Amino acid sequence: MALYHTFLCNLLLGSCCVGAVHTTGVINREAAGDLDTVVSKIAHNYPRKLPCPEDAEILPCVCTFDENMHMDLNCSSVESEDQLATILGSSFPFRNFHKLIIEGNDNLVVLRAGVLGSTTYEVFHIIDGVLEEVESGALSGSYSTATEMMFYNNSINSFPWQEMLLFENLHTLHLQENNITRCPKVKSKSLKKLDLARNPFIYLPVTAFSDTPTLQEVYLDGIGLQELSAGTFFTLSELLMVNMSTNQLTEVHEGAVQFNNSGRHQVYLDYNNISLVAVNAFSGFNSSDEIFLNNNQLTLLEEEVWQPVLQQGVTLYLGGNPLQCGCEIAFIILNSTFLGLIDNSTSCSDGELLVNLDPAIYEQFC
């Protein structure tokens, strides 16, 4: 911020004499006061929106600059790929932007290599459009600056996955709701959040995330997933959350979801067709962790499967399953701690809530 103050003051000294004398008086009168207030007055009266370029030079793109030193470029209204290349290929007084915004645009199909010219960005926000391809090299100018990439709700089927390792500070990648038909092999030493939801690639290789050691959140909901291989997540020592809801899973195999850190974990498997969960399907869980299995086809809660999970203090969400409530669940009903870890909406196939079942019946008849 100090550099910004100096920058504005220097600009002022280079302006007309009357303005300089007037503003110097302001600075002298308020030198012992709040410098931010003085800078705000100067910035408000100065005619150019530095560090942004002149409006006419970048139309229909719009540049904005805020008090947090964030300079954003909104090119949502560009009329063609050529126009975007012309605008971004022009000379900018300052080239390091915080965010590039292209939202709801029906003209940009390919983000070409070199289209961004010499500009760099921390955040890419290119969403709700018709973008199909991000060419290799299109984002290369931001290898060292990019922290977030949001490319969701487009039609992307080609993305420069081979370059992900070059983005030194990238921590968030949103590519949900595109047309990625094959699970990418992502390599990154910094990525923490990866969202690939609602892409039709169905098959998830066991090594899909083996080269993303810092990953904490993975979203794979609605991808048509039919099977989850054991060990898929085991190498991710920082993983905290996996969302695999709204898929076509029928079984959770042994070793399917393994954690190996002491954080708070959440696993979402709602709205699948799961009828079978193997012993040791879930391991490495801690107290206060949560497993969501709402709206599946579970009929049995086998003691050998679920007692080890409940003993770890994991909360289970099992609403919308056709559960049998005979003696096979006595180990839950007769253990108040276990029963307290079952979500209150969980019911038997006849609709009766587990929390309303009479323990005396299970004591007498089981």
Side-chain angles (χ1 to χ4, degrees):
M1 195 66 178
L3 289 175
Y4 180 47
H5 295 160
T6 304
F7 170 69
L8 285 175
C9 291
N10 286 338
L11 282 176
L12 182 64
L13 292 174
S15 64
C16 65
C17 295
V18 174
V21 171
H22 171 73
T23 310
T24 301
V26 173
I27 294 175
N28 288 337
R29 288 194 301 272
E30 302 189 24
D34 185 356
L35 183 56
D36 285 336
T37 301
V38 179
V39 171
S40 178
K41 291 179 180 179
I42 297 171
H44 178 74
N45 291 302
Y46 201 78
R48 185 181 175 94
K49 298 192 304 178
L50 285 169
C52 285
E54 295 285 1
D55 290 344
E57 296 176 359
I58 60 170
L59 286 174
C61 295
V62 177
C63 177
T64 57
F65 180 69
D66 65 23
E67 66 277 5
N68 296 316
M69 301 290 286
H70 289 162
M71 183 172 61
D72 296 341
L73 187 64
N74 190 323
C75 291
S76 298
S77 298
V78 291
E79 299 173 358
S80 68
E81 296 163 16
D82 288 339
Q83 185 184 56
L84 180 64
T86 299
I87 293 169
L88 298 183
S90 61
S91 179
F92 283 77
F94 298 91
R95 299 172 297 178
N96 300 326
F97 286 84
H98 172 248
K99 183 186 293 186
L100 174 63
I101 303 166
I102 304 176
E103 185 171 346
N105 184 283
D106 293 331
N107 302 312
L108 186 63
V109 177
V110 179
L111 193 64
R112 302 173 185 169
V115 70
L116 303 183
S118 60
T119 59
T120 68
Y121 304 89
E122 296 176 39
V123 179
F124 289 95
H125 187 86
I126 304 177
I127 67 169
D128 298 333
V130 297
L131 187 65
E132 296 180 5
E133 180 180 3
V134 180
E135 288 187 349
S136 178
L139 312 174
S140 60
S142 299
Y143 282 157
S144 63
T145 60
T147 59
E148 299 178 59
M149 292 185 185
M150 290 173 278
F151 287 92
Y152 56 84
N153 197 23
N154 288 289
S155 299
I156 295 173
N157 54 55
S158 181
F159 194 78
W161 298 107
Q162 70 281 3
E163 297 178 27
M164 288 299 98
L165 194 61
L166 300 175
F167 290 93
E168 303 169 7
N169 299 297
L170 183 66
H171 59 70
T172 300
L173 178 58
H174 284 281
L175 275 162
Q176 67 268 36
E177 296 185 87
N178 278 286
N179 193 33
I180 300 169
T181 57
R182 183 176 180 180
C183 181
K185 185 69 171 72
V186 186
K187 296 183 179 182
S188 173
K189 294 181 179 179
S190 59
L191 196 63
K192 295 182 180 298
K193 182 176 181 178
L194 176 62
D195 194 338
L196 295 171
R198 296 176 293 284
N199 280 281
F201 54 78
I202 300 176
Y203 174 65
L204 184 68
V206 69
T207 59
F209 309 114
S210 58
D211 293 315
T212 54
T214 59
L215 208 56
Q216 295 179 356
E217 301 178 28
V218 184
Y219 296 83
L220 299 166
D221 41 310
I223 63 171
L225 187 64
Q226 297 177 1
E227 186 169 358
L228 180 63
S229 301
T232 300
F233 307 108
F234 184 68
T235 60
L236 303 178
S237 61
E238 297 185 23
L239 187 64
L240 300 174
M241 194 282 294
V242 181
N243 190 335
M244 294 175 287
S245 299
T246 321
N247 279 300
Q248 299 175 31
L249 295 170
T250 59
E251 181 177 354
V252 186
H253 298 291
E254 180 179 0
V257 183
Q258 299 171 296
F259 292 108
N260 55 10
N261 60 67
S262 59
R264 183 174 181 267
H265 307 115
Q266 294 176 309
V267 177
Y268 293 86
L269 287 160
D270 303 316
Y271 293 97
N272 278 276
N273 295 305
I274 297 169
S275 60
L276 180 63
V277 177
V279 176
N280 295 323
F282 303 102
S283 62
F285 284 73
N286 307 307
S287 178
S288 299
D289 287 358
E290 297 174 300
I291 298 175
F292 295 82
L293 279 159
N294 296 303
N295 297 288
N296 279 283
Q297 299 300 318
L298 292 171
T299 57
L300 297 175
L301 296 179
E302 302 95 333
E303 185 171 358
E304 63 272 22
V305 174
W306 297 109
Q307 182 173 1
V309 175
L310 292 168
Q311 284 176 332
Q312 295 299 318
V314 177
T315 298
L316 300 178
Y317 295 81
L318 300 164
N321 284 279
L323 295 174
Q324 297 178 15
C325 292
C327 287
E328 64 277 351
I329 65 166
F331 78 99
I332 294 175
I333 305 303
L334 297 177
N335 186 317
S336 60
T337 300
F338 286 179
L339 188 59
L341 293 170
I342 305 297
D343 175 62
N344 289 339
S345 68
T346 301
S347 64
C348 307
S349 58
D350 62 2
E352 187 169 7
L353 298 175
L354 263 66
V355 294
N356 291 337
L357 295 175
D358 186 355
I361 295 176
Y362 290 85
E363 288 178 350
Q364 177 68 28
F365 296 101
C366 297

